[in-house]
Amino acid sequence: MKYAVGMVLVDTPHSALNMLGIDESLPERTVTRVKKLRKGTLSYPYVSPQAWRYWWRKTLSEHFNWTLSPMFREEKQIFTAANPIEYPDDDIFGYMRAFKKGNVNITVTRMSPLKNTPLVSILPDRSSVIQDDGYASRHEGDPVPYSQEFYSTVLKGAFSLDLNAVGKFTIIDKAGFKNLLRIDEIPKNLKEVKSEYEAIMSKAKELGAEIKEKEWIMPNEVRKKRASEAIKALRYIFGGAKQTQYLTDVTPKFIILAMLDGGINPFISGIVYEERGEIKFDSEALISRILEFIEILNPKKLFVGKDKGFMKEWDEEISKIKNSFEEKQISVEVTTIGNALEKFAKEIENYYK
């Protein structure tokens, strides 16, 4: 198995990207809180993984012309078309859909090849969260007071893309692995579903997919395009709540990328941390972590992208990484964010060759 893994840092100097909502514990109900994650005695603002994935999906639609899977609502459930042949986001982001009629209930599920953490603040809320008090006064009568939290921090997130799973769909009777249905197993009273699957199979054949009894595999050109564009989208990613008042650029300002023969992401914790109110980069921790997994680092390359205006004091620490890994015959590409993502995407494309 081959995984494309990475860590990103998003600079949020004045932001409220993912809100918890009104604080119901207060009688006035006028304070809007940011989402916070508690770790020990401290709390940290965060952006939910669902929100980050929503930005990611939307960026793929806007910048790479992905046709997104349509959404359907049935009672209390919302689901997509669950058609990864026609809709690349169903392939990359996974899905769950139930086909129901009378006593018949058939479910298809796909574990997302793209997995990601929340975007979590490196600084705790005591040094990053501000409460902004204001008044709504454009109406007649007394002004109405309100308060809203926002923060000034750097958010850290990590992701892992299973390159082997992209464009490969299994038909195994197991949760997460029954990605599609076989036409011969669809009950007669689900005529609409059978018709839908006949169209899906026809499209798969048209695209040149390899169709087996328990597995469908898209052509490598399709898999390569979907996987590489999913990574390149980070260069242009946009989104977030409260952008009208706290306009924030959510593209990464620092990124580390690598490919490993296994689902481990060595960049999730311990490399960037807070010390006395300052954000530090630990090059020794990164070097140690990579050497721990050097056998499964394949190819022996590390891509580091950094915006020149972000954390200039880290430049010396980043140089240590490059110098240290040269002795171990690990190539380290230190460049801009966009260039790092483009070069990493080329490595992903090479995998499918």
Side-chain angles (χ1 to χ4, degrees):
M1 295 189 296
K2 182 77 72 178
Y3 288 80
V5 303
M7 180 197 76
V8 304
L9 298 181
V10 179
D11 190 18
T12 59
H14 36 66
S15 309
L17 294 168
N18 194 205
M19 306 301 285
L20 181 64
I22 296 291
D23 190 340
E24 299 288 348
S25 68
L26 300 176
E28 301 86 0
R29 298 186 65 195
T30 58
V31 180
T32 304
R33 303 289 190 195
V34 300
K35 290 186 175 180
K36 297 174 189 175
L37 169 71
R38 181 167 288 279
K39 295 165 66 177
T41 59
L42 300 175
S43 296
Y44 298 80
Y46 75 93
V47 171
S48 73
Q50 299 95 315
W52 192 19
R53 291 169 76 84
Y54 176 75
W55 306 346
W56 212 320
R57 226 178 187 125
K58 190 175 179 183
T59 303
L60 285 162
S61 171
E62 294 286 337
H63 285 273
F64 295 91
N65 298 316
W66 280 26
T67 301
L68 299 185
S69 185
M71 302 291 292
F72 302 94
R73 182 162 190 163
E74 188 174 292
E75 296 177 354
K76 295 182 179 181
Q77 292 183 325
I78 296 177
F79 48 84
T80 67
N83 178 356
I85 304 301
E86 190 168 356
Y87 302 111
D89 62 316
D90 272 345
D91 180 2
I92 297 295
F93 293 90
Y95 52 80
M96 188 287 291
R97 182 179 177 185
F99 302 98
K100 299 178 183 179
K101 193 165 186 178
N103 295 325
V104 177
N105 187 346
I106 301 176
T107 302
V108 290
T109 57
R110 173 166 173 77
M111 288 191 295
S112 172
L114 177 64
K115 299 169 177 61
N116 60 276
T117 67
L119 293 169
V120 182
S121 171
I122 297 171
L123 301 174
D125 66 349
R126 68 186 181 193
S127 58
S128 61
V129 175
I130 304 101
Q131 184 166 306
D132 181 32
D133 299 321
Y135 292 89
S137 57
R138 295 179 62 189
H139 59 285
E140 292 186 11
D142 295 335
V144 177
Y146 68 89
S147 297
Q148 178 174 290
E149 289 184 335
F150 69 105
Y151 43 79
S152 178
T153 187
V154 171
L155 302 175
K156 181 183 72 174
F159 66 87
S160 173
L161 178 61
D162 184 346
L163 300 181
N164 188 57
V166 173
K168 184 181 287 187
F169 316 112
T170 55
I171 309 175
I172 301 171
D173 195 14
K174 181 181 176 182
F177 293 88
K178 194 167 188 175
N179 305 156
L180 299 167
L181 299 175
R182 289 195 301 269
I183 291 177
D184 59 6
E185 73 175 347
I186 300 172
K188 293 180 180 178
N189 61 340
L190 291 177
K191 292 180 181 179
E192 299 87 353
V193 178
K194 187 170 184 179
S195 176
E196 184 179 332
Y197 262 84
E198 286 172 345
I200 289 174
M201 178 169 278
S202 176
K203 184 66 175 179
K205 289 178 178 178
E206 177 189 326
L207 292 171
E210 182 182 359
I211 298 176
K212 303 177 183 179
E213 183 183 358
K214 293 188 176 182
E215 188 175 65
W216 295 16
I217 305 174
M218 299 295 283
N220 276 346
E221 281 300 313
V222 174
R223 300 173 73 194
K224 176 177 75 174
K225 183 176 185 295
R226 291 179 177 182
S228 64
E229 288 181 350
I231 295 300
K232 286 190 280 189
L234 285 169
R235 183 178 185 178
Y236 307 107
I237 197 165
F238 65 96
K242 303 293 181 181
Q243 289 285 26
T244 303
Q245 297 161 294
Y246 303 107
L247 180 62
T248 301
D249 174 11
V250 298
T251 59
K253 293 298 175 282
F254 182 78
I255 193 164
I256 305 174
L257 304 157
M259 292 173 65
L260 287 91
D261 294 329
I264 298 164
N265 186 326
F267 312 129
I268 288 178
S269 61
I271 295 168
V272 181
Y273 62 98
E274 180 261 347
E275 184 179 90
R276 297 179 182 178
E278 294 186 359
I279 299 173
K280 303 285 189 177
F281 175 71
D282 191 340
S283 61
E284 296 298 327
L286 176 59
I287 292 167
S288 174
R289 199 78 55 80
I290 291 296
L291 294 179
E292 183 75 16
F293 301 111
I294 191 169
E295 294 85 359
I296 60 172
L297 180 68
N298 184 19
K300 297 289 187 289
K301 294 181 180 180
L302 196 68
F303 297 86
V304 179
K306 182 177 174 294
D307 184 282
K308 287 190 179 296
F310 179 75
M311 299 294 180
K312 293 181 180 180
E313 62 273 22
W314 289 5
D315 291 348
E316 186 176 338
E317 289 294 303
I318 293 170
S319 296
K320 287 182 185 177
I321 299 169
K322 191 174 178 68
N323 296 335
S324 178
F325 282 150
E326 281 179 356
E327 302 172 2
K328 305 292 183 180
Q329 296 184 326
I330 298 173
S331 169
V332 180
E333 186 84 32
V334 180
T335 182
T336 63
I337 300 292
N339 203 26
L341 287 166
E342 289 292 332
K343 290 188 175 185
F344 189 58
K346 289 290 183 186
E347 294 295 333
I348 290 172
E349 291 173 0
N350 289 337
Y351 168 74
Y352 292 104
K353 291 178 182 179

